[in-house]
Amino acid sequence: MSWTRGVSCRLHEVRAARAAWHAEGPERKAARRERRRGDRDEPPGPPNGFALLPWLLMGMGAFSHLLQGRTPNPWIAGIGLLVFNSLYISVAFRAFDKAKRESRGTRGALLAMGLLTVGLAAGYGGNWLMFFPLLGLAVGAVVRGRRLGPVGLALSALAGAVAGLREGWDGVNIAYGTFLSTMVTAAILSLSEAVRDLRAAREELARRAVAEERLRFSRDLHDLLGHTLSVIVVKSEAARRLAPRDVDAALGQVADIESVGRQALTEIREAVTGYREASLSTELDRVRDLLDAAGVETVVRQSGPPLDPRSAALLGWVVREAATNVVRHARATRCEIEVAGAGGRTRLVITDDGRGTGTTPPGSGLKGLAERLAAAGGSLESGPAPRSGFRVTAVLPTAEGEHAEAGAEAARA
């Protein structure tokens, strides 16, 4: 009875597969609905030459007369019809590429279409006059800008004159149809190009916003982690030195390390969300503690009016980065920080008596800070101090200075 067991196992497998297929049914339906919704939400693509091809049906009347033998000199008319359609198709597909649209070949094709249209319409009249609106479509697809109005009026006047000679006052309809087809085609294609350019600009702005956000986050992360890790290293070394002879002082350094670590976690979370702004006063206090723990004598001098939040935040970043570089690279024993505001500008100078530039760069964060200050209308310079050591100088216009300069310019005007 092994075959019966095999059949029953096979039936169980089929039933299990059918049950799994039914269980996955809602998910498949939801996925199909999502795909359909995405297809509906996707914007249509830009128009191309195929959008102008259906208008060739306007020449079906002339083609019908040619097939029925009601057109004299059918070979000439047939060749003219074939050449006109070929030129129209060529111009239609070249009109959506700016370089091809403005080339001499396209202009030559339009001129040949114009001469051929005048010849066929003047020679045969009737339905052959409908080639003037077709010519207007081609002209509207190629000619843009200020030249469109004069060219459209001239073409309409030519169509009205030729149609008037053949059909009398009915030629006014041909002139109107030619002018309308020229202007409407040019307007629609110009609007479609404007929409396409706006869509491309929006995508470019989105890419730039992403790039700027990545740059901001990388700068903040570099400044935060560089300073915080330097503090942790310095305080860990201090705790190691103090542990054999002063346990309480070593425990105080360990407590400081814990506090710095918790503060770093908070600052990193704020930097990720983009809400963190360094404060100059807070950074000066932290830098003084860092340099004192590293055995660097710190002198801070401040003068001038209070800073606006933007200037204080930028200068806070400069103080943080410069102090981190002093601890990591300078091997200094003294550091002076001077903040002076006057004349609508705030000047921050940080000088140490270390080894200057040395063999190691003073920190890649200074380059990013220079870009930030330049974007705010300020400047950042760094290099060896006049006597010895290293100096960082940041100059930043304050909000009051900007208002004062604007008022001075208005007074001069």
Side-chain angles (χ1 to χ4, degrees):
M1 293 297 178
S2 60
W3 65 273
T4 56
R5 287 196 299 271
V7 170
S8 61
C9 291
R10 188 62 179 170
L11 289 175
H12 284 301
E13 292 177 359
V14 171
R15 289 171 182 170
R18 185 173 62 181
W21 187 82
H22 284 297
E24 295 175 355
E27 297 181 0
R28 288 196 304 273
K29 293 179 180 179
R32 283 198 299 268
R33 286 195 298 268
E34 190 65 26
R35 286 196 299 269
R36 292 172 183 172
R37 188 180 299 110
D39 294 339
R40 288 195 300 267
D41 296 339
E42 184 178 356
N48 50 37
F50 289 102
L52 298 178
L53 295 187
W55 295 101
L56 285 174
L57 296 175
M58 295 173 63
M60 286 298 295
F63 183 69
S64 176
H65 287 180
L66 183 62
L67 291 180
Q68 294 174 4
R70 297 166 55 184
T71 303
N73 299 320
W75 286 105
I76 296 177
I79 293 174
L81 182 61
L82 177 62
V83 172
F84 180 89
N85 290 340
S86 301
L87 291 173
Y88 179 87
I89 294 173
S90 174
V91 170
F93 282 97
R94 295 169 69 89
F96 294 90
D97 188 334
K98 185 176 181 180
K100 294 180 180 179
R101 183 173 67 232
E102 297 177 353
S103 64
R104 294 182 179 179
T106 304
R107 296 174 183 175
L110 274 181
L111 181 60
M113 286 179 63
L115 296 175
L116 188 59
T117 301
V118 171
L120 293 175
Y124 295 104
N127 291 327
W128 293 87
L129 295 172
M130 296 302 297
F131 285 102
F132 273 111
L134 276 175
L135 178 62
L137 285 169
V139 170
V142 172
V143 180
R144 306 290 170 83
R146 298 179 179 179
R147 296 178 299 173
L148 178 62
V151 170
L153 290 175
L155 180 60
S156 302
L158 178 62
V162 174
L165 292 176
R166 295 291 307 186
E167 303 295 335
W169 286 103
D170 291 339
V172 176
N173 296 329
I174 299 298
Y176 176 73
T178 303
F179 180 78
L180 193 63
S181 62
T182 304
M183 295 302 173
V184 170
T185 303
I188 292 176
L189 296 186
S190 298
L191 287 176
S192 65
E193 288 186 356
V195 170
R196 182 179 58 191
D197 293 341
L198 289 175
R199 188 179 302 167
R202 182 179 61 184
E203 294 175 355
E204 180 64 23
L205 289 175
R207 285 192 295 268
R208 289 187 179 182
V210 171
E212 290 177 358
E213 181 63 17
R214 288 176 178 173
L215 182 60
R216 179 201 67 81
F217 181 71
S218 64
R219 288 172 175 172
D220 289 356
L221 198 61
H222 171 272
D223 296 338
L224 288 171
L225 292 182
H227 177 79
T228 303
L229 293 178
S230 298
V231 173
I232 291 175
V233 169
V234 170
K235 289 189 173 292
S236 299
E237 293 176 351
R240 178 175 54 81
R241 291 194 304 267
L242 294 172
R245 61 177 185 270
D246 193 344
V247 178
D248 293 336
L251 290 177
Q253 296 293 333
V254 172
D256 290 343
I257 293 173
E258 181 183 0
S259 175
V260 169
R262 294 182 183 278
Q263 182 65 27
L265 288 175
T266 303
E267 291 177 349
I268 290 175
R269 293 191 186 101
E270 293 175 353
V272 169
T273 55
Y275 294 120
R276 184 183 185 278
E277 288 293 348
S279 172
L280 180 58
S281 58
T282 303
E283 294 301 333
L284 287 174
D285 294 337
R286 292 178 181 177
V287 162
R288 187 182 289 108
D289 293 339
L290 169 64
L291 295 177
D292 290 342
V296 180
E297 181 184 357
T298 308
V299 178
V300 179
R301 292 188 292 269
Q302 284 185 272
S303 62
L307 298 177
D308 59 281
R310 185 197 65 169
S311 301
L314 288 174
L315 294 181
W317 285 116
V318 176
V319 169
R320 172 186 281 255
E321 179 63 25
T324 303
N325 289 334
V326 169
V327 174
R328 293 173 59 187
H329 307 290
R331 296 181 183 176
T333 59
R334 180 181 174 86
C335 179
E336 296 183 1
I337 303 174
E338 182 179 359
V339 182
R345 288 184 175 272
T346 302
R347 181 184 179 89
L348 169 67
V349 181
I350 304 172
T351 309
D352 64 73
D353 61 351
R355 58 179 181 174
T357 56
T359 58
T360 306
S364 59
L366 292 176
K367 182 179 179 181
L369 288 173
E371 295 175 356
R372 289 189 182 187
L373 266 69
S379 63
L380 180 68
E381 297 179 357
S382 59
R387 296 181 180 178
S388 64
F390 196 78
R391 172 180 290 178
V392 177
T393 304
V395 179
L396 194 65
T398 59
E400 295 179 359
E402 294 176 357
H403 294 319
E405 291 178 2
E409 292 179 0
R412 286 195 298 270

